[in-house]
Amino acid sequence: MAAAPALVGELLAGPARTVPVLHSGADAVYLDLRGSTPSTSPSSAAPDLAVLGVLSTAATAVPCGLQTTLPRLPADVAGATWAVLGDGRVLLGGTEAVVTRTVDATVPRIPAAAVVPAARVLAEVVGDRSAGVRAELPAEALAALAEGSADCVPELLGRGSGLTPVGDDVLCGWLATAVATRAPVGTAARTDLADAVRRLAPAATTALSATLLGCATRGEVLPQFRRLVLDLADPAPDLDARVAVDVDALLRVGHTSGAGLLLGASIALHHLASRSLTP
C-alpha cells in the first residue's frame, strides 16, 4: 500500500511500461520516466514529471513520489535496475506498491492580509539560520531573486551542495510561496521565474531537481513546507510559536534542502510584502 499526490496517481493510472532506476537507496528509489518503454508522456497535466520516487516511511515525502508503509525498502527494491509501473501500481524487484490513498501536496492559500505578518514572523523565526545556504550562492543572484527578477534563474539552477542543489531548493521555496499568495503584485515575477525555470532546468540541473522545480511552479511541495504555509496563512496570536515548530521541522529535511526552501520562502514573502506596502 502507498500514498501519493493526485498527479502521481494519474501517472500510475496509465498503461504498464518499464522504466529504469535513476538512483536507489534504503529509503528511496527514484525512477527515470524519460526512459520509459513504451515511450509515453509522463502526464498531460505535468509533462515535467520526469522522476518518480518510491519511498519508505523514513524518506522525505517528495511531491513526485509515492510513500509506502515500509520502514525500509527491501534489498531487492533498493538493488533493482528497472521497474514496471501502470494500472495504479509500481513493481520494483519483488515488491509491488499500490496507491491506496491520495494526499494533498498543494500549498494552501495565504490571504493578502496575511502576507505582511507572515513575512515578519518568518524573518524573525528564521533569523540567521539560512546563512550557510546564502554563503553557497551568488549574492547577486539572491539580490535579483529578492527583486523578483528571472535573471537569477541561470545563476541559481544546479548551484550548491545536496542531492537537490541548494540553489534549486531556494527557487522551489520562492516559487511555491508565490503560488500560495496568488498576489496580483507578484504575478508577473512569478510567471517570469516559472517560465525561466521550465525552460532552463532540464539542462541545468539533475532530473530529480528539475522535477521538483516543476512541482513548485504548480505549488506542489513537501508536507513540512505545506504545514509552514498553512500556519503562515493564519496570523493568530500564537503564530510565532507555530512557525518556530514548522521551521525546526523543515530544517531537518535533507542536508541543505530545508534551509534552502526556507530562504526561498523568506525572500518571496519579503518581496511580496514590500510591494504590498508600496503606495
Side-chain angles (χ1 to χ4, degrees), residues 129-154:
R129 299 169 82 180
S130 297
V133 169
R134 283 187 175 274
E136 287 196 49
L137 301 172
E140 297 83 0
L142 293 177
L145 183 61
E147 292 299 318
S149 170
D151 291 344
C152 70
V153 173

Side-chain angles (χ1 to χ4, degrees), residues 27-45:
D27 288 316
V29 172
Y30 290 103
L31 310 178
D32 190 350
L33 304 181
R34 300 166 301 178
S36 63
T37 305
S39 178
T40 56
S41 174
S43 167
S44 58

Side-chain angles (χ1 to χ4, degrees), residues 72-97:
R72 286 290 187 274
L73 299 180
D76 65 332
V77 171
T81 57
W82 293 87
V84 178
L85 56 89
D87 300 320
R89 65 195 67 207
V90 174
L91 179 62
L92 194 58
T95 300
E96 184 179 70

Side-chain angles (χ1 to χ4, degrees), residues 6-279:
L7 277 175
V8 172
E10 175 188 320
L11 169 71
L12 294 179
R17 63 262 198 213
T18 302
V19 299
V21 170
L22 183 67
H23 170 84
S24 63
D27 288 316
V29 172
Y30 290 103
L31 310 178
D32 190 350
L33 304 181
R34 300 166 301 178
S36 63
T37 305
S39 178
T40 56
S41 174
S43 167
S44 58
D48 50 16
L49 195 64
V51 174
L52 174 70
V54 179
L55 315 169
S56 76
T57 56
T60 300
V62 292
C64 61
L66 64 159
Q67 193 150 40
T68 70
T69 57
L70 300 170
R72 286 290 187 274
L73 299 180
D76 65 332
V77 171
T81 57
W82 293 87
V84 178
L85 56 89
D87 300 320
R89 65 195 67 207
V90 174
L91 179 62
L92 194 58
T95 300
E96 184 179 70
V98 181
V99 177
T100 56
R101 182 167 62 91
T102 299
V103 296
D104 190 354
T106 57
V107 286
R109 182 174 184 178
I110 299 178
V115 170
V116 172
R120 175 188 59 79
V121 169
L122 189 60
E124 291 175 353
V125 171
V126 173
D128 63 356
R129 299 169 82 180
S130 297
V133 169
R134 283 187 175 274
E136 287 196 49
L137 301 172
E140 297 83 0
L142 293 177
L145 183 61
E147 292 299 318
S149 170
D151 291 344
C152 70
V153 173
E155 301 302 318
L156 293 176
L157 282 175
R159 183 71 69 98
S161 61
L163 179 61
T164 54
V166 71
D168 299 350
D169 296 324
V170 171
L171 286 169
C172 280
W174 195 101
L175 288 163
T177 303
V179 171
T181 63
R182 297 169 175 82
V185 294
T187 299
R190 182 176 73 245
T191 300
D192 289 347
L193 261 81
D195 287 347
V197 163
R198 292 189 190 100
R199 186 175 70 254
L200 300 174
T205 189
T206 66
L208 173 59
S209 205
T211 296
L212 293 174
L213 282 159
C215 289
T217 65
R218 296 185 293 274
E220 297 156 12
V221 294
L222 306 179
Q224 295 91 336
F225 193 91
R226 188 175 189 276
R227 179 72 253 175
L228 171 66
V229 174
L230 192 64
D231 282 333
L232 289 172
D234 178 23
D238 64 341
L239 179 61
D240 297 61
R242 286 184 286 122
V243 169
V245 172
D246 298 335
V247 165
D248 287 343
L250 194 51
L251 285 171
R252 289 193 291 270
V253 174
H255 178 60
T256 55
S257 291
L261 289 166
L262 277 172
L263 179 57
S266 298
I267 292 174
L269 285 173
H270 177 76
H271 169 76
L272 295 166
S274 62
R275 278 146 184 79
S276 298
L277 292 171
T278 302

